[in-house]
Amino acid sequence: MLTLVTVNFNNAEATLGLLRSLERQSDRDFDVIVVDNASAPGDRALVGEFISSTTISADLVLNERNLGFSGGNNLAIRKALAQSAEWIVLINNDTTVSGDFIRNLKAALPKEPAVVGIPLSEEGSDRGEGRRIAYAGLVKWLKPTLPHIYEIEKLGAEHSQLLYAVGAGMAVHRDAFAKAGLLDERYFLYFEDADFSLRARRAGVSVRFISAPSITHGVSVSTRKLGAPLLLRYHARNALLFNKTHGPWWVRKSLPFAAFYGIVRQSVKLLLMPARRPESRAIMAGIVDFYAKRFGYIPPEAPDIHRH
């Protein structure tokens, strides 16, 4: 039994695009769970109306507060596990799939428990590269963001244990959740997919990457709604949490120095780049959040270290 789970937050148009692409599947033996993360009433109603009339097996879970990517998905994962799903597919709501996606995905999944990264057909960079296929993410220590990898075969063997399944398209066997646990809700948004892959490996679960089928992804369509400074705050805080949790000894020892360097760098930017002050303040606030152990949801109106 295959269950797809996705999270909607004030982006019904994108979510309905995904659901319509699932309606066109040649293999219709699958379930869908949509979690609405306390969207505006009109947005939530659009998703609800579609779910009530769709021809596929779909269920809607309504949250009264925003639980983020990790918390929203965890609600759906628990529900799918209770319904005896064997494979659970995390798929971003700002994605679409071809008509044979389910059939081809079932054929590509391994026979044994694993975490499987599904290829993402992404918009290219600002240099106009068009669409590219991202097969995995790569952990880079002491970095605020983690890159996607477009040519796995060119990576050396030393990187194999640092590849992770990107949360926008990830299939997980139920036994993998039993061994590794669910997504870590401290992250709320960003780094929880890398964290999960590393925890799964540590629990003895294989993390694999298939070459097809792919998912068409509109990069960051949903998260842009939170606003750029707030996203930088999540990145800054969660990068420190991830590195403290999973980094080798030299990374953990370096963490206070990296955080101090980040504060100094952003302080200089506050003086020299006034147009970017909201971004610099957000990054500094994220660093403070980490050391104050303020994890999970950050309200958009939350005070930063310059505003009380």
Side-chain angles (χ1 to χ4, degrees):
M1 182 177 176
L2 184 75
T3 299
L4 288 81
V5 304
T6 194
V7 177
N8 178 68
F9 175 64
N10 287 326
N11 201 3
E13 180 180 356
T15 301
L16 298 191
L18 168 62
L19 294 175
R20 290 188 183 104
S21 72
L22 293 173
E23 282 186 323
R24 297 190 290 268
Q25 293 303 299
S26 57
D27 180 345
R28 297 171 69 84
D29 184 18
F30 64 93
D31 294 329
V32 180
I33 301 174
V34 179
V35 176
D36 184 83
N37 256 345
S39 299
D43 193 272
R44 172 176 283 191
L46 286 174
V47 177
E49 290 168 6
F50 188 95
I51 293 291
S52 66
S53 62
T54 185
T55 56
I56 57 177
S57 175
D59 195 9
L60 177 61
V61 177
L62 301 177
N63 285 339
E64 295 310 313
R65 61 189 181 93
N66 188 352
L67 300 180
F69 180 87
S70 49
N73 272 301
N74 280 345
L75 275 179
I77 291 167
R78 292 187 186 98
K79 186 177 182 69
L81 292 173
Q83 295 173 345
S84 301
E86 181 181 12
W87 285 93
I88 298 172
V89 179
L90 308 190
I91 184 167
N92 266 27
N93 70 319
D94 53 2
T95 64
T96 57
V97 295
S98 65
D100 288 330
F101 174 77
I102 295 294
R103 178 173 63 83
N104 293 333
L105 178 60
K106 287 180 178 179
L109 292 174
K111 301 300 181 183
E112 63 277 358
V115 175
V116 178
I118 303 172
L120 301 172
S121 175
E122 298 179 340
E123 298 171 1
S125 72
D126 293 336
R127 297 190 299 273
E129 294 171 333
R131 300 201 71 86
R132 300 181 297 170
I133 304 295
Y135 294 96
L138 179 65
V139 171
K140 285 186 172 291
W141 302 120
L142 300 176
K143 299 294 184 181
T145 59
L146 303 178
H148 288 177
I149 299 300
Y150 303 92
E151 296 177 290
I152 289 181
E153 65 278 3
K154 291 188 177 181
L155 290 177
E158 69 276 11
H159 292 108
S160 62
Q161 297 302 301
L162 295 178
L163 291 172
Y164 67 90
V166 179
M170 175 170 63
V172 184
H173 192 275
R174 62 179 297 113
D175 291 349
F177 287 119
K179 293 180 178 180
L182 302 184
L183 301 178
D184 189 334
E185 297 185 17
R186 291 179 299 171
Y187 291 97
F188 186 82
L189 181 70
Y190 298 131
F191 283 87
E192 62 276 275
D193 48 2
D195 171 88
F196 182 77
S197 287
L198 267 59
R199 284 193 288 118
R201 279 201 187 94
R202 194 159 58 237
V205 177
S206 173
V207 180
R208 306 183 182 187
F209 306 93
I210 57 177
S211 58
S214 65
I215 296 170
T216 301
H217 185 208
V219 182
S220 299
V221 169
S222 297
T223 54
R224 284 180 190 142
K225 292 179 179 291
L226 294 174
L230 184 58
L231 298 185
L232 290 172
R233 185 167 178 174
Y234 277 111
H235 272 296
R237 182 196 70 184
N238 292 353
L240 291 169
L241 174 60
F242 177 80
N243 279 269
K244 180 182 179 181
T245 303
H246 296 286
W249 68 268
W250 62 269
V251 168
R252 298 193 301 273
K253 291 289 187 182
S254 302
L255 216 55
F257 303 99
F260 179 73
Y261 171 75
I263 292 288
V264 171
R265 183 181 182 188
Q266 298 308 319
S267 297
V268 172
K269 286 186 175 182
L270 282 173
L271 296 174
L272 301 182
M273 303 173 67
R276 302 298 299 272
R277 282 175 180 168
E279 289 83 357
S280 292
R281 288 173 175 168
I283 293 170
M284 296 169 74
I287 295 171
V288 172
D289 287 337
F290 168 74
Y291 283 102
K293 301 186 185 317
R294 291 194 292 262
F295 298 115
Y297 176 62
I298 301 172
E301 67 279 5
D304 62 29
I305 59 175
H306 293 269
R307 190 170 61 242
H308 299 280

